[in-house]
Amino acid sequence: MPEISERLNGFTESVIRKMTRIANKYDAINLSQGFPDFDPPKEIKEALIKVAEEGPHQYEITWGSQKLREALSKKQTKFMGIPIDPNKEIVVTCGSTEAMMVSMMTVCNPGDKVVVFSPFYENYGADAILCGADPIYVPLNPPHFNFDKEELENAFKQNPKAIILCNPSNPTGKVFTLEELQFIADLAKKYDTFVITDEVYEHIVMKPHKHQYMAAIPGMFERTISCSSLSKTYAITGWRIGYVIAPEHIIENAKKVHDFLTVGAAAPLQAAVLAGLNLPDEYYESLRELYTQKRELFLNGLDEAGLKYTKPDGAYYVMVDISEFTEGTDMEFCEWLAKEVGVAAVPGSSFFKEDVNNFIRFHFAKKDDTLIEAVRRLKTLKEKVRNRKA
Ligand SMILES: Cc1ncc(COP(=O)(O)O)c(C=O)c1O
């Protein structure tokens, strides 16, 4: 038999998706894969019903329906504070997942280097392999997940084509400060590098922090490829709608990659999601409040359970330090936790390039009742660990 592509040798199965299967196996509360267990806004659901009757049901314009690009341009122009041309500077994709892949394939040649902060969202490693790029990892150092400026500049000195910036960050919950973004922007200019952002949590930032768009930093629009998605903003992770925003000459090429990869995002869903984009500004404020409240509920629970963590400022994840509970691997600990405590988390090592084994990641995009039950179970953890050791 012929052999399958060597490209796949560097691949492992997604640990996040694997943990969802383990959660199901043990009937554990799934705080591993980051998706809500609550519904999208009713306006979006009602629009979906209407679209089922009235269409569209056939292919849309490959780079996104005119109405969706116009609605996205209106919203992003407002939030980003820079004008975005709906006809020249946006491609609608199948989630930020495709947006990131399209961006990487649009700017990288095989053998190009790409700077990636570690810990990182696991797709970036696979994206790099798929487009033949070589990642240069720069650590975000626990517990506060800050980077060392000199270390970052050393990575830029290796002539990378792009840096990937996940802000707010999954898995750490870090929200990059304006000063940090400015430092990255200055390096990108100095070493003539693209910045590919993944900003799927742009609207999930807890007060007093504020999301700053890299593309809006003076002089950065021309070298920033902004990827984002409607998955998290409207609790529709299954709809698979995202987008790339970039200058016209980049978008012209991104459109080609996107067209040949997927032809386009689902036409009926592009139509229905307009109801979300037309929601008033208060929606985004209430989303921020909702997640601030969920963070407090869950973190208070972690305090009561005696768990140590780094407080997230954005996104809906928290990294918990498990050093005192296990001498085994974080994967073994996560399996044990799902089975014996009934709560599923993601082993932190799946996000780190370095050999870091003492974190697990929970997410808190769940109904209050689900979080309260998860906390109740987590409060039994310490005793179960003691019994296990005895
Ligand atoms: C940082 C980050 N990027 C992208 C995604 C996937 O987004 P989408 O559903 O838009 O493909 C996720 C999902 O958890 C994520 O955390």
Side-chain angles (χ1 to χ4, degrees):
M1 285 289 280
E3 292 192 349
I4 58 163
S5 158
E6 280 172 14
R7 213 181 284 125
L8 286 154
N9 293 344
F11 269 69
T12 47
E13 178 196 21
S14 156
V15 179
I16 299 179
R17 266 83 81 186
K18 179 175 174 183
M19 280 315 304
T20 286
R21 288 202 303 282
I22 291 177
N24 294 342
K25 178 172 161 193
Y26 296 119
D27 206 16
I29 296 176
N30 189 0
L31 302 188
S32 59
Q33 193 176 2
F35 58 87
D37 65 350
F38 45 88
D39 274 357
K42 70 173 185 342
E43 291 83 350
I44 297 184
K45 290 196 294 181
E46 285 165 8
L48 184 60
I49 294 169
K50 197 156 169 267
V51 168
E53 280 302 326
E54 297 174 7
H57 294 293
Q58 309 308 328
Y59 296 128
E60 252 305 347
I61 298 173
T62 164
W63 55 89
S65 78
Q66 187 68 29
K67 282 191 178 154
L68 179 52
R69 279 179 289 112
E70 279 171 8
L72 278 171
S73 123
K74 193 164 157 226
K75 170 178 165 290
Q76 293 309 110
T77 294
K78 186 163 59 189
F79 282 103
M80 295 171 85
I82 45 173
I84 308 295
D85 186 323
N87 296 312
K88 298 183 179 149
E89 293 171 339
I90 301 182
V91 182
V92 173
T93 57
C94 300
S96 183
T97 302
E98 191 211 338
M100 292 296 293
M101 190 70 243
V102 163
S103 304
M104 298 265 292
M105 292 190 94
T106 301
V107 302
C108 289
N109 287 314
D112 278 348
K113 298 194 176 87
V114 178
V115 180
V116 179
F117 284 113
S118 166
F120 58 97
Y121 176 58
E122 60 177 1
N123 279 38
Y124 308 152
D127 291 346
I129 292 172
L130 286 171
C131 70
D134 295 325
I136 308 169
Y137 293 99
V138 174
L140 290 172
N141 299 306
H144 298 297
F145 300 106
N146 294 325
F147 60 86
D148 180 278
K149 289 183 173 171
E150 206 179 307
E151 224 165 339
L152 185 61
E153 177 144 18
N154 284 340
F156 273 88
K157 283 181 183 161
Q158 296 175 50
N159 194 24
K161 187 55 116 20
I163 175 168
I164 294 179
L165 179 71
C166 182
N167 182 34
S169 152
N170 174 6
T172 64
K174 175 183 176 69
V175 174
F176 285 73
T177 63
L178 186 55
E179 196 252 322
E180 287 174 317
L181 294 179
Q182 189 65 60
F183 183 78
I184 297 168
D186 291 343
L187 289 180
K189 287 184 205 161
K190 182 172 170 189
Y191 294 96
D192 197 16
T193 307
F194 286 115
V195 181
I196 302 176
T197 69
D198 184 353
E199 293 169 284
V200 296
Y201 302 103
E202 63 194 295
H203 294 293
I204 305 179
V205 175
M206 289 78 180
K207 279 182 185 156
H209 303 276
K210 199 173 171 297
H211 181 64
Q212 314 273 352
Y213 293 88
M214 177 57 90
I217 290 183
M220 283 308 290
F221 182 74
E222 62 208 61
R223 58 176 68 250
T224 303
I225 303 160
S226 307
C227 299
S228 193
S229 156
L230 308 183
S231 286
K232 317 284 174 173
T233 303
Y234 304 115
I236 49 169
T237 58
W239 286 34
R240 318 303 308 121
I241 300 182
Y243 54 91
V244 183
I245 290 178
E248 183 178 1
H249 71 282
I250 297 176
I251 290 297
E252 272 306 308
N253 289 290
K255 279 179 182 171
K256 292 185 246 171
V257 180
H258 161 72
D259 188 1
F260 288 115
L261 275 179
T262 64
V263 178
L269 302 181
Q270 290 191 47
V273 84
L274 288 172
L277 287 153
N278 290 334
L279 288 169
D281 285 359
E282 293 81 66
Y283 172 73
Y284 304 97
E285 195 46 42
S286 63
L287 187 74
R288 182 176 161 93
E289 277 161 17
L290 177 83
Y291 279 109
T292 304
Q293 173 261 324
K294 289 195 182 297
R295 180 187 65 171
E296 294 325 299
L297 195 168
F298 191 59
L299 297 191
N300 287 340
L302 293 182
D303 288 336
E304 287 164 22
L307 300 177
K308 295 197 186 87
Y309 56 84
T310 301
K311 188 174 183 180
D313 298 326
Y316 45 53
Y317 305 98
V318 55
M319 295 287 263
V320 170
D321 190 339
I322 53 162
S323 322
E324 63 182 287
F325 301 123
T326 178
E327 278 149 26
T329 67
D330 54 357
M331 184 68 220
E332 285 160 359
F333 183 79
C334 282
E335 277 226 55
W336 175 84
L337 190 72
K339 188 169 173 216
E340 302 297 335
V341 180
V343 182
V346 181
S349 57
S350 63
F351 303 105
F352 283 91
K353 182 60 189 168
E354 304 79 21
D355 188 18
V356 177
N357 235 298
N358 63 312
F359 290 103
I360 58 171
R361 188 202 75 177
F362 289 116
H363 85 92
F364 49 84
K366 290 284 180 238
K367 289 178 192 151
D368 287 0
D369 285 351
T370 315
L371 292 175
I372 289 166
E373 176 57 19
V375 164
R376 190 192 65 75
R377 295 181 187 191
L378 287 171
K379 283 191 201 159
T380 67
L381 188 151
K382 279 199 163 175
E383 198 185 332
K384 286 185 172 154
V385 169
R386 271 196 299 274
N387 293 343
R388 187 170 67 146
K389 285 184 177 161

